[in-house]
């Protein structure tokens, strides 16, 4: 076996050798001159530590690890640049730690004390999660900052579908099944669909879809929901809908948005912010059809319940009305009897008061007559005494004096008699005036009581009429409610119901057998037999 001889390098003189400090300084200068510009590199983080705000990392090459080799280097992110780590985590949704692959902007440096190190000045987040995912995360954060991310999600789901707006590409393949079933609903007047065509691919897709959303909001109709549908297409085509303006238009839509973009596995940003998303347009239209059918069945049950409740209500109202009529008759009779007795009592009171007043006036007149007669007798007696005295006086008086005295006596006598007659006449007139006054007062009092009684009777009858009218209005309103929920009225709106040979309502396609069944419409019914039953898509 041959022996290999290894020659040693020639040893230089001491003067020609370098000290360690000088050698490391030369290395530092060479690296600085060669790698003066910053460069983007890809690596995997194997270790991360923090100290005093600085972030220290160990980077390795994942490709070499697969080949059994390992390249490793220390790196640092100084505290003044540490905010880039937070931005990276926000953009990617990934924790900045061991095991993730990164693309970083670095600058190489060598220090004779601390050795070789890379300083990191930037991180490319799109390398870690992909540019498209980075874009989606940025849109999501922006919508959250505007408080718009849950606007459409939080809208109440429509209880029924009567008018729906549909945004779809023209002549889309997935639109045919949707259009077939929507046309059937529209034919029977169960739900109306307004179609707004828009472009879903190409540079005009954003303005086209946003314009369709604006058009349906500004027209004269009010919608229960807005459906955005598109059939088929690749995942790349689907990603064209991941735009901020489209996502905002869905979030801020006045109506609940339902999406059926046409992908079973993939979804787009519009699905995340819509009220409800479906994998295909067919599944979306099936949801609407099922809701309408369920509401029809519920309406049929409600009509039956309402009919029964209305019958009970009418029966109760009729009984209450009859009871009220009986009470009105009873109170009317009682009130009339009571007021008749009151009128009779008041008439007796008036007659008694008038009689007492007349009796009192008669006594007053009699007393006045007695006083006048007594005064007249006294005056006549005084005149007679004066006349007697005068006669005695005239015996001794000449004839002319006797004649004069006789004339005076006659004048006085006539004056006295005239005064007595005048006083008697005045007393009689006073008595007559008092009697007439009392008679008029009694008549006025009687009339007033009669008017009050007539007014009270009128109020009683008016109250009875109002009560009767109120009960009749309640019965009329109940009848209107029954008519509104009459099954014939429901059928006239386009609904129908199916029964088997025994008259039992069929609520599911699973209940249909090979036996004949009957479909009932508002204007009649038809006998039918199933050829083939097909369940709706779930």
């Amino acid at each position: 076996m041959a022996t290999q001889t290894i020659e040693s390098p020639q040893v230089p003189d001491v003067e020609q050798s370098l000290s360690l400090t000088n050698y490391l300084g030369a290395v530092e200068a060479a690296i600085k001159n060669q790698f003066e510009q910053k460069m983007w590199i890809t690596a995997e983080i194997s270790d991360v530590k923090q100290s005093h705000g600085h972030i220290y990392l160990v980077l390795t090459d994942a490709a070499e690890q697969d080949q059994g080799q390992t390249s490793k280097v220390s790196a640092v992110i100084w505290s003044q640049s540490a905010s880039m780590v937070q931005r990276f985590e926000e953009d990617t949704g990934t924790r900045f730690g061991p095991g993730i692959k990164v693309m970083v902007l670095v600058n190489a440096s060598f220090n004779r004390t601390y050795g070789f190190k890379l300083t990191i000045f930037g991180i490319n987040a799109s390398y870690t999660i992909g540019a498209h995912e980075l874009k989606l995360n940025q849109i999501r954060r922006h919508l959250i900052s505007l408080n718009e991310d849950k606007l459409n999600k939080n809208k109440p789901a429509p209880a029924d579908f009567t008018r729906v707006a549909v945004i779809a590409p023209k002549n889309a393949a997935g639109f045919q099944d949707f259009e077939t079933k929507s046309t059937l609903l529209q034919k029977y007047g169960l739900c109306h669909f307004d179609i707004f065509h828009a472009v879903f691919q190409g540079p005009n897709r954003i303005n086209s879809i946003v314009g369709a959303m604006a058009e349906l909001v500004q027209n004269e109709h009010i919608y229960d929901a807005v459906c955005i549908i598109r059939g088929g297409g690749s995942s790349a085509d689907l990603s064209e809908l991941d735009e901020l303006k489209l996502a905002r238009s869905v979030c801020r839509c006045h109506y609940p948005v339902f999406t059926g973009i046409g992908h079973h596995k993939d979804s787009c940003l519009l699905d995340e912010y819509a009220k409800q998303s479906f994998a295909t347009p067919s599944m979306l239209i099936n949801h609407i059809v099922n809701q309408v059918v369920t509401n029809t069945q519920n309406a049929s049950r409600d009509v039956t319940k309402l009919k029964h409740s209305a019958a009970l209500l009418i029966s109760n109202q009729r009984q209450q009305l009859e009871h009220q009529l009986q009470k009105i008759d009873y109170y009317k009779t009682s009130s009339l009897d009571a007021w008749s007795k009151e009128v009779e009592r008041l008439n007796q009171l008036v007659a008694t008061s008038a009689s007492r007043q007349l009796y009192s006036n008669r006594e007053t007149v009699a007393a006045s007559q007695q006083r006048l007669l007594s005064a007249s007798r006294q005056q006549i007696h005084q005149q007679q005494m004066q006349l007697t005295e005068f006669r005695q006086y005239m015996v001794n008086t000449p004839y002319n004096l006797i004649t004069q005295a006789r004339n005076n006596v006659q004048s006085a006598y006539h004056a006295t008699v005239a005064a007595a007659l005048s006083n008697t006449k005045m007393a009689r007139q006073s008595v007559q005036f008092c009697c007439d006054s009392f008679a008029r007062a009694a008549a006025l009092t009687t009339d007033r009581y009669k008017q009050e009684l007539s007014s009270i009777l009128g109020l009683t009858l008016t109250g009875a009429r109002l009560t009767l009218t109120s009960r009749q209005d309640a019965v009329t309103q109940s009848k209107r409610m029954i008519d509104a929920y009459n099954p014939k009225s429901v059928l006239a709106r386009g609904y129908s119901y199916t029964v088997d040979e025994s008259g039992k309502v069929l609520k599911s396609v699973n209940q249909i057998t090979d036996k004949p069944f009957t479909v009932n419409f508002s204007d009649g019914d038809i006998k039918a037999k199933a050829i083939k039953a097909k369940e709706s898509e779930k």
Side-chain angles (χ1 to χ4, degrees):
M1 182 176 181
T3 302
Q4 183 178 3
T5 302
I6 300 176
E7 295 182 358
S8 299
Q10 185 177 0
V11 178
D13 296 335
V14 175
E15 291 79 6
Q16 295 178 351
S17 65
L18 296 174
S19 66
L20 177 61
T21 301
N22 291 336
Y23 181 76
L24 294 177
V27 171
E28 179 180 2
I31 292 176
K32 185 176 182 180
N33 292 331
Q34 185 67 29
F35 298 98
E36 185 177 2
Q37 301 294 328
K38 301 181 181 69
M39 298 184 65
W40 287 100
I41 66 170
T42 59
E44 182 177 321
I45 300 175
S46 64
D47 190 27
V48 177
K49 294 181 181 179
Q50 293 190 19
S51 177
H52 303 292
H54 308 303
I55 301 174
Y56 298 95
L57 304 92
V58 176
L59 302 178
T60 61
D61 195 327
E64 289 186 353
Q65 289 180 10
D66 296 337
Q67 299 171 5
Q69 300 177 0
T70 301
S71 295
K72 182 182 297 185
V73 68
S74 297
V76 63
I77 301 175
W78 301 117
S79 59
Q80 60 266 29
S81 303
S83 60
M84 72 174 71
V85 174
Q86 182 180 356
R87 288 197 302 272
F88 172 84
E89 292 179 343
E90 291 176 352
D91 290 340
T92 62
T94 303
R95 183 176 175 274
F96 189 77
I100 66 169
K101 295 180 175 61
V102 293
M103 177 183 286
V104 290
L105 181 65
V106 299
N107 179 248
S109 63
F110 181 84
N111 183 279
R112 66 188 69 183
T113 302
Y114 300 105
F116 185 78
K117 189 182 299 290
L118 298 179
T119 302
I120 298 176
F121 294 93
I123 307 173
N124 183 3
S126 62
Y127 173 80
T128 303
I129 62 169
H132 183 68
E133 188 64 27
L134 178 62
K135 174 185 176 181
L136 293 181
N137 289 339
Q138 290 173 345
I139 293 175
R140 293 182 184 113
R141 287 202 315 276
H142 185 67
L143 291 175
I144 292 173
S145 67
L146 296 175
N147 292 323
E148 295 179 355
D149 56 314
K150 297 186 183 301
L151 288 180
N152 206 270
K153 285 284 187 185
N154 292 336
K155 289 186 180 296
D160 197 2
F161 293 94
T162 57
R163 182 176 286 272
V164 175
V166 181
I167 300 177
K170 203 168 187 178
N171 301 322
F175 184 63
Q176 294 177 357
D177 184 49
F178 187 98
E179 187 176 28
T180 300
K181 294 182 179 179
S182 64
T183 301
L184 188 63
L185 291 177
Q186 193 163 268
K187 176 182 178 181
Y188 292 103
L190 300 177
C191 183
H192 188 82
F193 293 83
D194 292 337
I195 310 300
F196 298 86
H197 291 295
V199 177
F200 276 54
Q201 292 178 254
N204 297 326
R205 67 191 185 284
I206 298 176
N207 292 335
S208 181
I209 296 175
V210 172
M213 294 284 282
E215 182 181 354
L216 69 89
V217 169
Q218 294 171 2
N219 70 16
E220 71 277 10
H221 299 301
I222 297 177
Y223 297 100
D224 298 305
V226 175
C227 297
I228 301 177
I229 61 174
R230 189 203 74 165
S234 64
S235 298
D237 295 337
L238 188 67
S239 65
E240 292 193 49
L241 300 177
D242 295 331
E243 297 291 342
L244 176 61
K245 291 184 68 174
L246 297 181
R248 289 196 70 189
S249 66
V250 169
C251 291
R252 301 170 65 184
C253 184
H254 294 178
Y255 310 111
V257 176
F258 292 81
T259 57
I261 304 301
H263 278 257
H264 285 280
K265 296 181 180 180
D266 299 325
S267 64
C268 68
L269 202 61
L270 304 188
D271 296 326
E272 294 184 25
Y273 296 105
K275 175 63 184 177
Q276 190 171 354
S277 63
F278 298 86
T280 64
S282 298
M283 295 176 66
L284 174 53
I285 190 61
N286 286 338
H287 171 76
I288 296 176
V289 170
N290 292 337
Q291 185 73 34
V292 172
V293 171
T294 300
N295 290 340
T296 303
Q297 294 172 347
N298 292 338
S300 178
R301 287 194 298 269
D302 292 341
V303 167
T304 303
K305 293 180 181 178
L306 182 61
K307 184 178 179 181
H308 178 69
S309 300
L312 292 177
L313 178 62
I314 290 176
S315 177
N316 293 335
Q317 291 292 332
R318 184 180 291 110
Q319 293 177 0
Q320 292 181 10
L321 181 59
E322 292 174 354
H323 180 67
Q324 290 295 332
L325 290 174
Q326 292 175 358
K327 289 176 64 177
I328 290 171
D329 291 337
Y330 171 76
Y331 287 129
K332 180 176 69 175
T333 304
S334 300
S335 298
L336 290 174
D337 292 342
W339 283 109
S340 297
K341 292 178 181 179
E342 182 68 14
V343 169
E344 184 178 353
R345 187 184 68 80
L346 293 174
N347 286 333
Q348 292 176 357
L349 180 62
V350 170
T352 302
S353 299
S355 299
R356 289 177 180 174
Q357 193 67 34
L358 288 173
Y359 179 75
S360 176
N361 289 339
R362 287 194 189 98
E363 289 182 346
T364 302
V365 171
S368 299
Q369 287 179 341
Q370 290 294 331
R371 286 196 300 272
L372 288 173
L373 290 174
S374 177
S376 298
R377 290 191 188 97
Q378 289 178 2
Q379 191 171 4
I380 291 171
H381 181 68
Q382 289 176 0
Q383 291 295 330
Q384 287 177 348
M385 291 178 63
Q386 288 178 2
L387 180 58
T388 302
E389 291 176 357
F390 188 70
R391 284 176 181 173
Q392 291 176 358
Y393 172 74
M394 289 302 295
V395 174
N396 301 320
T397 304
Y399 176 78
N400 55 344
L401 292 175
I402 291 172
T403 303
Q404 183 179 359
R406 184 178 295 164
N407 294 333
N408 290 336
V409 169
Q410 290 178 350
S411 298
Y413 175 76
H414 290 306
T416 300
V417 172
L421 292 173
S422 177
N423 289 334
T424 301
K425 184 178 180 181
M426 290 179 62
R428 287 176 179 172
Q429 291 176 350
S430 177
V431 170
Q432 184 64 36
F433 178 75
C434 289
C435 290
D436 294 340
S437 297
F438 283 116
R440 285 194 298 272
L444 289 173
T445 303
T446 302
D447 291 341
R448 181 166 58 83
Y449 281 123
K450 287 182 178 179
Q451 291 175 358
E452 291 179 356
L453 176 59
S454 177
S455 177
I456 291 170
L457 288 175
L459 290 174
T460 301
L461 292 175
T462 300
R465 292 191 190 98
L466 289 175
T467 302
L468 181 58
T469 302
S470 175
R471 294 299 178 180
Q472 289 175 343
D473 291 343
V475 172
T476 302
Q477 184 64 24
S478 299
K479 184 176 181 302
R480 288 176 180 172
M481 288 179 62
I482 292 171
D483 292 340
Y485 288 97
N486 190 294
K488 292 183 178 180
S489 300
V490 176
L491 291 176
R493 292 171 51 200
Y495 291 91
S496 66
Y497 65 94
T498 305
V499 298
D500 58 16
E501 292 179 319
S502 64
K504 181 180 178 182
V505 177
L506 300 177
K507 302 179 180 179
S508 171
V509 71
N510 294 326
Q511 294 180 272
I512 299 211
T513 63
D514 56 352
K515 296 181 179 180
F517 56 89
T518 303
V519 182
N520 293 273
F521 298 91
S522 62
D523 55 350
D525 55 71
I526 60 172
K527 300 292 183 178
K529 188 173 182 180
I531 298 174
K532 182 180 180 182
K534 178 181 178 182
E535 294 187 0
S536 301
E537 294 185 27
K538 300 296 182 183

